């Protein structure tokens, strides 16, 4: 059974489903693992005060806030967790990094390669993490270990399919995920980013890629399906599909 | 997002893996569901003080105790949760019921039908629950709903297999689960009880049964495999296997 | 590629689906395997002359006949293949064996253990085969070889399910298979016989058995489902289901 | 049971595994289907006389021949079946078509689009078939029927994987299939051609495609894996993989 670690004060910016998922993660990790740090749920920041109050009550956030610019400057905060729509990742993460905070940022990191490069530059010298949580799924972590121990032979083919069914469901209310201005891309950033990270994690760098974006839903301005072919540096080839 | 319910003070007797699983359940339920009650983790009772202290620290139990007879009499306790080896279920649950407590008891309920009947008699007038948690697995709950709504036709065959691989593993330390004096039975009570409860829940009462117990591990005094055939009242027939 | 073997003259009694399946087997075996004998399709015997003519034309049977008693006595016949309803297996097979023929008999061998014992006694000294064709399915033959070579460890559990869906289909015309007088049993002889033979072939003798017959279709006088539990001599236990 | 149809005299050029598969097809089709024609196995043509004699003996070819140019001119031949290495498809098929024969040709049709176009031009006015046998696999034929009857809704994603494991097996003797001069391509023509034909058959024309050839085996001059992405005219998108 785990021992309590040193406290680590968290400020989360975002009160949606990822705000909830991260709250759960902070609460549950010390229940099951011996972690060097114990998260302290210091402040949750968003724009909907009633929702913030509910989040604070259910998950035990000590304070609420509505101005992320003030939050990222607070001396009593160790970690800034960026769990907002994609287009806001860069300004918040860069400000937090410049304030010397540890930065946890949701995926996709940025809405363009240029923006991502600026974030990486700003993060120079601070600890950072992108929430590619699949790396900690036991089956994937175990596969990684088998690969590192050389217990899996030469890879020939890599296949990744991330299939969800709601992308084209007209009965779902539109949200920021299908709004190009807020999301930058659709399934490409939302789902394929996980598949790509897992591929890099397990099968190493990609040397060549060919991809196809597709939008099924009429009038939607982001992709709701993406296919890709890749040649990996280790000599294997792969297919990717997310929808 | 859930609203907090009325507090319900819990005393748990048991500090093993089910003690931990129930602690997690009490903590997590109000995070995800709108429950009329909010569990208050009042007291955890067991025989290993160091372990009790760790449980209290990790899961937030307010107090620890080592004498279950005192615990079940406490005025400030609403629920007694019995999470100890099977042979102790009856004395604790009966005492708790006689003290007017709500009783949650781990499965298998008892180590004999006679003992179970005494528990049922003692529980007359108090609220009780046996921890048949599979009833709340989404797939099973959904199947039950489909059946209740008449959306599944006539049942012909029912099949249940509960297959674990550790029963016969000589590298595992012996525990109370393979000691007849403490466990009453082996896989029959530990695994098949779940399968039977789920079958009764989904497919209704059984009218005829034929079963076979088997022990693979040399020298073990409880079963480590059980097979059964059943005829259900609804006209279907079923096979059960647990190992 | 196979070489032709010595000719073996076949007389088949039966012109139904097994008559067709065996005709195909006799035609195809020498196309793919180096067999010491090449089947010669000498005579097909049944009661429907038009059907016999069609069988002869399609599969190349040299002659047709309607009296099996004459056929089994013919000097120019090496093999009598019994592919008729179960209740006729015994008289034809016994007559053929007494005439010194090689006897191939469809399963189930007999409609009672007593009848089967008489067939076995009559077959003393002649070559015989029951059409348990699953023994030659590549996956089963390969499994048998792995077992014989000791490459599969200790067996704990054996599971056999033979699931067909037509047994209870009211739209199918009734046939001899659901008539107790002709078939002796239903699914027990028709399907479970295969499962039992395969179990004996792969997992060895059974020391204890418990079984349950069931009839779903109203008014049917044979079983349309059968469940069984078994303890094998090798220390494993098994479940069987056929329907 | 099938009725015999009008005789159709077949000449096959090729005595390898496809020669054998087609011999089997000609023998078996009239055993199971009511066909308007009954194949007559007239002549098998190849370069290995001993092998031709064995094929004639096992499958019942009436004659053997070693010069395909004479065979395709014979007046008593209705069908010329081209079952030779890919680079020979065009000369034989064109000669047969010019002689007015029905032409059955193995896939891939040709080793280049230009060659294929010449074959199509030559075949003007004669009946032809490419051996895309998967169209007759019951599951695919049934799927096609469901689609034609409008019982499958709008297609979003199409996925085809044709995975064999021998392509890279160094223990297999090299054959014409891995020799560019004889085969034209590797897996592309050998396996992916089937997947593409099935896709066109079930999901209709392709409007855009992106593909990647790969060779794992060192020193091989044909591809042993191929990946492709496609956009279909019906609005769906697809992935293809063959290896």
């Amino acid at each position: 059974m785990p021992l309590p670690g040193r406290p680590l004060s968290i400020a989360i910016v975002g009160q949606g489903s990822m705000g909830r998922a991260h709250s759960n993660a902070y609460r549950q990790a010390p229940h099951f693992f011996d972690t060097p740090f114990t998260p302290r749920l210091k402040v949750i920041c968003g724009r909907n005060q009633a929702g913030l109050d509910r989040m604070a009550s259910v998950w035990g956030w000590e304070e609420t806030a509505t101005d992320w610019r003030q939050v990222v400057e607070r001396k009593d905060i160790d970690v800034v967790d960026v769990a907002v729509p994609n287009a806001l990742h860069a300004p918040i993460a860069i400000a937090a990094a410049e304030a010397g905070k540890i930065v946890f940022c949701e995926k996709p990191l940025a809405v363009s390669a240029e923006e991502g490069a600026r974030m990486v530059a700003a993060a120079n010298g601070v600890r950072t993490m992108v929430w590619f949580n699949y790396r900690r799924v036991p089956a994937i972590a175990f596969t990684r270990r088998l690969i590192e121990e050389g217990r899996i032979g030469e890879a020939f083919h890599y296949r990744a399919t991330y299939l969800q069914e709601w992308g084209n469901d007209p009965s779902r209310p539109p949200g920021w995920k299908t709004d190009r201005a807020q999301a930058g891309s659709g399934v490409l950033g939302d789902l394929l980013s996980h598949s790509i990270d897992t591929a890099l994690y397990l099968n190493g760098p990609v040397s060549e890629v060919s991809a196809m974006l597709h939008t099924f839903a009429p009038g939607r301005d982001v992709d709701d399906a993406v296919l890709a072919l890749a040649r990996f540096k280790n000599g294997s080839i792969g297919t990717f599909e997310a929808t």
Side-chain angles (χ1 to χ4, degrees), chain A:
Chain A
M1 205 157 26
L3 286 164
R6 281 197 292 136
L8 193 71
S9 289
I10 313 281
I12 193 168
V13 187
Q15 61 185 107
S17 60
M18 284 309 112
R20 194 156 72 141
H22 297 191
S23 298
N24 185 48
Y26 296 133
R27 280 275 171 249
Q28 289 289 68
H31 287 160
F32 295 103
F33 301 100
D34 239 328
T35 52
F37 297 95
T38 296
R40 180 169 173 188
L41 282 64
K42 195 77 183 178
V43 55
I44 181 164
C45 177
R47 289 183 298 200
N48 175 333
Q49 187 61 52
L52 291 171
D53 292 345
R54 292 297 313 282
M55 288 290 284
S57 150
V58 169
W59 293 101
W61 290 95
E62 297 176 15
E63 303 172 36
T64 66
T66 54
D67 182 351
W68 63 262
R69 285 168 216 277
Q70 288 182 352
V71 166
V72 302
E73 300 288 345
R74 283 173 60 154
K75 290 281 182 297
D76 59 347
I77 293 298
D78 300 309
V79 174
V80 173
D81 182 352
V82 183
V84 292
N86 307 340
L88 289 169
H89 289 183
I92 301 174
I94 290 172
E98 287 174 348
K101 304 305 184 195
I102 298 169
V103 182
F104 294 169
C105 186
E106 259 301 330
K107 35 59 54 183
L109 183 62
V111 297
S112 70
E114 178 277 331
E115 190 181 78
R118 282 195 293 118
M119 293 169 80
V120 170
N124 184 22
V126 301
R127 291 179 184 275
T128 61
M129 180 183 79
V130 182
W131 284 95
F132 285 123
N133 56 307
Y134 289 94
R135 293 188 177 205
R136 302 299 190 188
V137 169
I140 289 177
F142 183 62
T143 303
R144 163 85 174 201
R145 209 180 80 196
L146 292 178
I147 292 168
E148 285 177 342
E149 292 172 356
R151 295 170 68 181
I152 287 184
E154 189 184 348
F156 291 97
H157 291 280
Y158 188 95
R159 274 169 221 122
T161 48
Y162 197 133
L163 310 179
Q164 293 193 341
E165 62 77 40
W166 53 266
N168 194 27
D169 181 347
S171 71
R172 292 176 69 98
W176 66 263
K177 287 198 174 185
T178 52
D179 172 5
R180 175 176 294 276
Q182 291 184 82
S185 68
V187 161
L188 173 65
D190 198 36
L191 303 185
L192 194 74
S193 58
H194 277 302
S195 301
I196 292 172
D197 180 68
T198 305
L200 297 173
Y201 188 60
L202 296 179
N203 203 36
V206 165
S207 54
E208 244 185 293
V209 73
S210 164
M212 183 185 282
L213 292 176
H214 196 77
T215 303
F216 292 116
R220 181 169 292 175
D221 70 346
V222 295
D223 54 288
D224 49 26
V226 54
L227 308 179
L229 307 179
R231 224 182 282 274
F232 289 86
K233 284 236 169 71
N234 66 2
S236 63
I237 55 177
T239 56
F240 292 79
E241 178 174 12
T243 187

